Amino acid sequence: MTQNKPAYYDENNIFAKMLNGDIPHHKVYEDEKTLAFMDIMPQAEGHVLVIPKQKAVDLADLEPEYAAAVLMTAKKVMNAQRQVFAREGIIQMQLNGAQAGQTVFHYHIHLIPGSIHELGVHAAKMADNDKLADLAQRLAAVIDTP
Ligand code: 5GP
């Protein structure tokens, strides 16, 4: 554990508030154990986050059933991104600890259509709300709901 990692799960983190329904998000997919939604400050068009419905700060906390569930949802989202953006290249990224650059302390996988050589700055620029809504709808339309 790094010095910068919170010692416990913060119930008021932004993704916990999303899971509680306290703040809105542009949903791409949801099932019993996971939620996928558009990143509000995308590093490329179509940047999606996948989170478990488990109070995990980072990978160290993730229980096996939720680890499996987030990866299965990540596969669904990636397949949808490949269809919608007609491209093969999708970056899968996940940060553990503030030292690595993690800014929201609820475990999440980033899925970013693009190339590592062209990636935008991390969590830097807010996207247009209508654009995110449209992208979420297009991605959700090609994912089978449970
Ligand atoms: P981390 O730095 O923890 O790996 O990534 C956190 C991600 O959450 C960033 O890419 C950032 O843009 C995104 N993010 C931060 N606040 C919000 C929010 O309120 N809504 C959404 N949809 N994404 C957020």
Side-chain angles (χ1 to χ4, degrees):
M1 192 156 73
T2 72
Q3 273 190 319
N4 291 329
K5 184 183 165 186
Y8 56 87
Y9 182 83
D10 174 9
E11 302 280 347
N12 287 316
N13 79 72
I14 203 90
F15 297 167
K17 288 181 175 172
M18 273 182 205
L19 287 172
N20 290 340
D22 291 340
I23 66 158
H25 58 275
H26 296 289
K27 184 162 84 177
V28 171
Y29 176 84
E30 183 170 17
D31 60 23
E32 195 194 335
K33 290 192 171 66
T34 69
L35 175 68
F37 54 91
M38 304 309 297
D39 193 307
I40 207 166
M41 292 174 272
Q43 288 179 255
E45 185 183 51
H47 184 163
V48 172
L49 300 172
V50 181
I51 66 174
K53 294 181 179 177
Q54 186 214 323
K55 294 172 184 176
V57 172
D58 66 17
L59 184 59
D61 298 334
L62 202 59
E63 291 166 10
E65 62 186 298
Y66 287 94
V70 284
L71 273 182
M72 294 314 290
T73 295
K75 279 178 66 162
K76 289 187 171 100
V77 171
M78 187 193 74
N79 287 335
Q81 289 169 319
R82 282 183 163 169
Q83 284 182 63
V84 167
F85 299 106
R87 63 170 292 125
E88 182 196 19
I90 309 291
I91 297 166
Q92 179 180 328
M93 180 175 82
Q94 189 261 312
L95 307 177
N96 297 289
Q99 201 173 49
Q102 185 178 2
T103 54
V104 179
F105 295 94
H106 180 117
Y107 176 92
H108 51 281
I109 293 174
H110 297 259
L111 291 166
I112 312 171
S115 159
I116 195 70
H117 305 297
E118 299 161 357
L119 209 54
V121 179
H122 183 62
K125 190 164 175 253
M126 294 283 277
D128 177 75
N129 198 52
D130 292 344
K131 175 90 177 160
L132 290 182
D134 176 59
L135 287 166
Q137 202 174 32
R138 285 164 62 199
L139 289 166
V142 295
I143 300 182
D144 289 335
T145 44

